[in-house]
Amino acid sequence: MCSAAAHVKARCPVYPGSDTHRFPVPDHTVDWDTDCPQYSPVKYTAPTVLNKPAWADPEIGSFSPQFNSIDGSVDRRSHEGSYRVQNGKPLNPHGRTGLEGRGLLGRWGPNHAADPIVTRWKRDSTGQCVHHTNSQLPVLQFVSIKRLDCGEWAIPGGMVDPGERISQTLQREFSEEALNSLQASPSQRENIQKRIAELFNSAGLQVYKGYVDDPRNTDNAWMETVAVNFHDESGNSVSELPLQAGDDAGQVSWIDVDSSLALYANHLHFLETVAKERNAHW
Ligand code: RP5
């Protein structure tokens, strides 16, 4: 098992979008290598997943996934190295979650996402960068969306489609969730793509690659992501585009980056890295 921090949100007592209670997993029994004879995880796979949508795998037994490898167009490798497979099912590399099956996740094993962290400096009405009164450091702002499924603020990330490059996912998800490109007319969409292409085609700063402590994780299915920061230093690139929530987002806003924020999954950890790398207030 990889030496990663114990997940917390992946052990939330009630599984998201359901009445299903996870089998309680105290900190000292998270690790698969800790003997836990009483462990009796609840089995749950959401009806939406069992209905066989295009984005989901079938049940194990009716197909033979190639774990830890590229399986046709589906990448079943983990960013964290090789994971175990037990009785034909992949085991969560961060340990027990109290729930077996896939829950709301489509793939057995890693479910790959990408998170675009778009930032700018907070400026006053004269255009000067605002410094925080405590830290004296400049304040960053990032584009955040309020998730429709749970009402929590988050980075506007999303799932990598089979065969899609991460760089495409980053740009597509930002356009769909923060700029509502899916509802835009073809000419508006073209304008959005043109405006954001410059920022997203610049070298982004990769701040995280690995397991996400997501409340949807189970013993056999989990989220992984690549989080990349795209920074609008001058404030006149993507900062000027009107934000409009779309797809899985209920609201969208520029939010001041600060350690006191409450964000979905472990997104706050990604922002901490951005703030420290850019010598910004945290
Ligand atoms: C998180 O779920 C990832 O970090 C990413 O932000 C998000 C992707 O899932 P959906 O927004 O597509 O549900 O684990």
Side-chain angles (χ1 to χ4, degrees):
M1 154 156 172
C2 77
S3 58
H7 47 203
V8 174
K9 296 191 179 177
R11 289 182 282 150
C12 58
V14 181
Y15 191 83
S18 78
D19 298 328
T20 305
H21 287 249
R22 294 177 187 268
F23 185 87
V25 181
D27 290 353
H28 69 278
T29 62
V30 171
D31 194 330
W32 292 112
D33 289 333
T34 304
D35 205 26
C36 186
Q38 74 279 20
Y39 185 57
S40 175
V42 171
K43 284 192 178 59
Y44 178 69
T45 299
T48 44
V49 173
L50 293 174
N51 272 343
K52 303 185 180 156
W55 47 267
D57 290 331
E59 285 290 89
I60 299 272
S62 60
F63 87 130
S64 305
Q66 303 300 302
F67 291 120
N68 287 305
S69 48
I70 298 180
D71 185 9
S73 60
V74 179
D75 190 354
R76 300 191 193 277
R77 296 170 304 174
S78 167
H79 293 311
E80 307 212 341
S82 186
Y83 51 86
R84 297 182 200 176
V85 178
Q86 191 175 279
N87 301 326
K89 292 183 182 162
L91 277 192
N92 186 315
H94 282 232
R96 298 182 175 97
T97 68
L99 195 135
E100 247 178 41
R102 283 173 290 163
L104 286 163
L105 299 178
R107 303 284 173 210
W108 294 97
N111 286 251
H112 288 290
D115 283 293
I117 307 172
V118 173
T119 54
R120 69 179 183 189
W121 296 114
K122 183 176 187 174
R123 291 175 195 271
D124 63 19
S125 55
T126 68
Q128 296 302 304
C129 290
V130 173
H131 288 67
H132 196 272
T133 42
N134 294 344
S135 64
Q136 306 300 322
L137 290 169
V139 178
L140 271 177
Q141 296 185 310
F142 82 108
V143 175
S144 185
I145 55 115
K146 193 170 186 184
R147 293 179 64 97
L148 277 177
D149 58 356
C150 60
E152 288 185 77
W153 287 90
I155 295 162
M159 301 294 188
V160 181
D161 288 338
E164 191 176 41
R165 278 182 289 119
I166 301 275
S167 57
Q168 290 175 310
T169 314
L170 290 163
Q171 197 160 328
R172 177 178 58 71
E173 286 292 335
F174 187 79
S175 308
E176 290 176 4
E177 296 193 352
L179 302 172
N180 199 15
S181 64
L182 291 176
Q183 301 298 317
S185 67
S187 68
Q188 287 170 320
R189 201 173 307 159
E190 202 181 314
N191 183 35
I192 290 173
Q193 304 303 4
K194 236 197 317 210
R195 297 285 301 268
I196 66 167
E198 201 181 318
L199 184 66
F200 277 77
N201 289 341
S202 66
L205 174 69
Q206 184 177 298
V207 292
Y208 187 79
K209 187 178 188 180
Y211 182 85
V212 183
D213 185 12
D214 191 294
R216 294 170 294 184
N217 291 352
T218 75
D219 284 0
N220 312 118
W222 60 90
M223 293 297 306
E224 297 200 7
T225 199
V226 176
V228 183
N229 176 216
F230 298 97
H231 181 60
D232 182 3
E233 178 66 28
S234 63
N236 51 25
S237 131
V238 95
S239 305
E240 290 185 343
L241 279 174
L243 298 180
Q244 194 185 344
D247 199 31
D248 299 336
Q251 289 180 49
V252 59
S253 180
W254 286 99
I255 290 188
D256 293 359
V257 173
D258 186 278
S259 57
S260 65
L261 289 173
L263 295 180
Y264 185 73
N266 53 345
H267 287 185
L268 192 65
H269 169 62
F270 309 162
L271 282 179
E272 178 176 9
T273 308
V274 174
K276 298 204 164 144
E277 285 286 331
R278 301 216 175 266
N279 203 19
H281 167 71
W282 177 242

